[in-house]
Amino acid sequence: MTAAVPLRPVRRWISRTQSSHRDRGETLGSIYVGVLFVAITGAMLHNQLTALFWPARPALTGLAASASAVLILALILMALRRIGPISLSRPAAYFLLTAPVSRRRLLLPSLRLTALATAVTSSAAAFALLGHAATRDTAPVALLIVTAALSGAALVLIAAFAQSDPRRATLIDRLTAFALAAALAELVAEAAGWTPPTLPGWPPAASLVTLTGALAVIVAIASFSSVRDLAHVPNNRILESAKTAGTLFDAAFGMEPSWVTDMIERRYWSTRRLTSSRPPARLPVLIGQDYQLARRRLPHLLWLAASATLPLLLTAAPGWLLGIAVLLGAMIAAGTTTATVKTDAGNPVLLRMLGLTSRQILIQRLCLPAVLSTAWTTAALALLQVTGHLPAGPWPLLGLAVGPLAATAAVRRARVGFVRNDLLPLDTPMGTVSTGPLVNAVAGPDLLLLGLPFVIAVAGGKPLSLSGVLLQAAVTAMVVRLYVTVSTSDDRTELTRR
């Protein structure tokens, strides 16, 4: 048996080799610029940040504040489950995971760093939530922030506990999804007009101190157990986390968000057991393929149907923000089946075998996204009208008019290729800005600008007339026709990315 070698000299040598080209003053200068930027921004936006995080009049009820806390914790746990939390960099996973070094010392830094980052994030979220739920003189702010930090550390330990066993991971993921759905349901119910029961005020300080101390003891014991079991984390789980972290870093450094979406798609389908089935014979072949894709993503469709209630959470926001949110939600709903468009644009072999032109392909690929986006928008507008947040008028018809526009935007977004870093940069007073990522980011959502009649109708606060519906329908029909005509042709098969 090979004896374990000391890990610290190996890490020191790798770090020194990787950063041999970097000047120490360069790193210190970057830290100085970052801290100075945060300080200047905080000083300039002090009043706005105060109004955002701690308004003069709290607007959340006690039950809504509790549901928001559960929602934030569930989102943090879901993010931890996707990223790790026990992970390594890709070089460390390649060279050190199978090396004769202590696995506990190898994996402990990632767990420690993740726990620290999660504790800080939970504390910041608790501070912002308290500002909307209580006044400064009634809430024990310092004690609750400490409790939030301990809760964040506990979430890291729960995610690490789930990472070691697939069955535990499945159970924790389902409980997290249930908690997320319950919290969103409570917030939506209040936004729809439900009056929640009044919760009692803050417990005595002694009780809060006791609860925080008990949580600290539980976290300490769980930390000891988690550190002891670090050596038993399977290699495939660590490698999966390393790939995820590496892909996120590459997408941020290379300004290429498509790498993240491709990773999510591949990981989703790699965990599914699929059986052969035929699409309905009456449907055209590509529409049938999209139908099969949507049918095999039934849980996603259920979440999509439930998300039609989320615009109710923005009824207190300005009307223009609500209109933009509904448009973006319709585009996201249409994107459920646009993964096939990416395949068509990147590999047109199947399309050549079918003998279809690019115009026929695009028309067929637009059908199911248009159905999904139209159904989602119509349901969202109907709920807003039923709950009294929209005036009288044929709002479901407006959803029918704007749905195909959102579907066209989603398909255009799916046809976008890699970021073009060869485009000329723009010189601005704040520095040089690369135009490639900007062009890539706006491709797709730029078509939503033609949903301006929809946004004006939602933000106006006046009864909707049939002429407003016809105006949006005419604009949508013009956009869809122009996009299909300009971006496709009857004499080629390739669905070029545009």
Side-chain angles (χ1 to χ4, degrees):
M1 181 176 179
T2 306
V5 299
L7 180 61
R8 183 171 298 177
V10 178
R11 282 189 179 275
R12 188 183 300 116
W13 180 84
I14 293 176
S15 177
R16 185 171 61 250
T17 303
Q18 289 179 338
S19 60
S20 59
H21 65 285
R22 189 180 306 160
D23 186 11
R24 180 174 298 178
E26 180 183 350
T27 303
L28 294 177
S30 301
I31 295 175
Y32 170 76
V33 171
V35 173
L36 184 63
F37 174 77
V38 172
I40 293 176
T41 305
M44 292 174 57
L45 304 177
H46 172 71
N47 295 330
Q48 291 82 354
L49 292 175
T50 302
L52 177 63
F53 288 100
W54 211 291
R57 295 181 179 179
L60 291 179
T61 63
L63 192 58
S66 302
S68 300
V70 172
L71 176 65
I72 292 171
L73 293 177
L75 290 175
I76 292 176
L77 183 55
M78 291 178 68
L80 289 172
R81 285 284 302 117
R82 298 301 180 272
I83 297 175
I86 302 174
S87 181
L88 291 172
S89 64
R90 284 176 295 183
Y94 184 79
F95 290 104
L96 299 181
L97 191 60
T98 57
V101 296
S102 172
R103 287 178 63 91
R104 185 177 293 111
R105 293 183 181 180
L106 178 65
L107 300 175
L108 183 58
S110 66
L111 182 63
R112 185 167 52 229
L113 181 61
T114 306
L116 178 61
T118 307
V120 173
T121 302
S122 301
S123 301
F127 181 79
L129 185 59
L130 286 173
H132 291 270
T135 56
R136 299 188 184 185
D137 54 349
T138 60
V141 179
L143 190 59
L144 291 175
I145 288 179
V146 173
T147 305
L150 292 173
S151 301
L155 291 179
V156 175
L157 298 176
I158 293 174
F161 177 75
Q163 191 175 359
S164 302
D165 189 356
R167 289 175 296 181
R168 292 184 300 205
T170 302
L171 177 61
I172 290 177
D173 288 343
R174 290 179 178 176
L175 292 176
T176 304
F178 176 78
L180 179 67
L184 286 175
E186 197 283 331
L187 294 175
V188 169
E190 282 200 34
W194 174 64
T195 303
T198 303
L199 296 181
W202 300 106
S207 301
L208 284 176
V209 171
T210 303
L211 291 176
T212 305
L215 180 60
V217 172
I218 294 174
V219 169
I221 297 174
S223 301
F224 176 79
S225 176
S226 180
V227 171
R228 184 190 59 188
D229 296 337
L230 277 178
H232 303 292
V233 180
N235 287 343
N236 60 337
R237 298 287 178 175
I238 300 173
L239 292 175
E240 183 178 355
S241 299
K243 292 178 182 178
T244 302
T247 302
L248 293 176
F249 177 80
D250 290 343
F253 183 77
M255 299 182 184
E256 185 53 70
S258 63
W259 292 341
V260 179
T261 57
D262 290 343
M263 177 191 69
I264 295 174
E265 287 287 338
R266 292 175 184 274
R267 187 164 297 175
Y268 176 84
W269 292 112
S270 65
T271 57
R272 296 297 183 271
R273 292 184 177 180
L274 303 178
T275 57
S276 298
S277 60
R278 293 183 178 181
R282 296 181 179 180
L283 293 178
V285 57
L286 298 184
I287 299 178
Q289 184 187 17
D290 289 344
Y291 171 78
Q292 289 287 82
L293 177 64
R295 194 169 66 97
R296 287 170 171 172
R297 301 190 67 177
L298 182 60
H300 180 85
L301 294 179
L302 295 177
W303 280 102
L304 188 63
S307 67
T309 62
L310 295 183
L312 290 172
L313 301 178
L314 297 175
T315 52
W320 60 268
L321 182 60
L322 177 61
I324 293 175
V326 173
L327 278 179
L328 291 175
M331 180 180 170
I332 294 173
T336 302
T337 59
T338 54
T340 54
V341 180
K342 295 181 182 180
T343 305
D344 294 341
N347 186 13
V349 175
L350 178 62
L351 305 180
R352 294 194 186 102
M353 295 175 61
L354 294 175
L356 298 175
T357 65
S358 59
R359 186 159 300 168
Q360 293 172 332
I361 295 164
L362 188 60
I363 291 174
Q364 293 188 30
R365 290 302 191 196
L366 272 171
C367 291
L368 196 58
V371 171
L372 292 175
S373 61
T374 301
W376 190 93
T377 311
T378 304
L381 292 177
L383 287 173
L384 288 171
Q385 186 177 21
V386 168
T387 54
H389 295 99
L390 287 178
W395 292 100
L397 294 180
L398 186 61
L400 294 175
V402 81
L405 176 64
T408 306
V411 171
R412 172 171 162 77
R413 180 64 192 168
R415 294 175 68 184
V416 174
F418 293 114
V419 172
R420 290 189 58 185
N421 293 316
D422 59 334
L423 300 178
L424 293 177
L426 297 177
D427 291 329
T428 65
M430 299 298 294
T432 303
V433 177
S434 179
T435 55
L438 293 179
V439 173
N440 188 278
V442 301
D446 55 352
L447 292 183
L448 296 181
L449 295 175
L450 297 173
L452 185 60
F454 173 84
V455 177
I456 293 176
V458 173
K462 299 179 181 180
L464 179 65
S465 61
L466 188 60
S467 60
V469 177
L470 294 177
L471 175 61
Q472 182 60 68
V475 173
T476 299
M478 179 189 66
V479 171
V480 174
R481 181 174 179 82
L482 284 177
Y483 179 72
V484 172
T485 303
V486 173
S487 65
T488 60
S489 174
D490 286 330
D491 57 0
R492 74 167 187 267
T493 300
E494 287 76 10
L495 195 65
T496 54
R497 302 185 177 190
R498 300 189 181 188

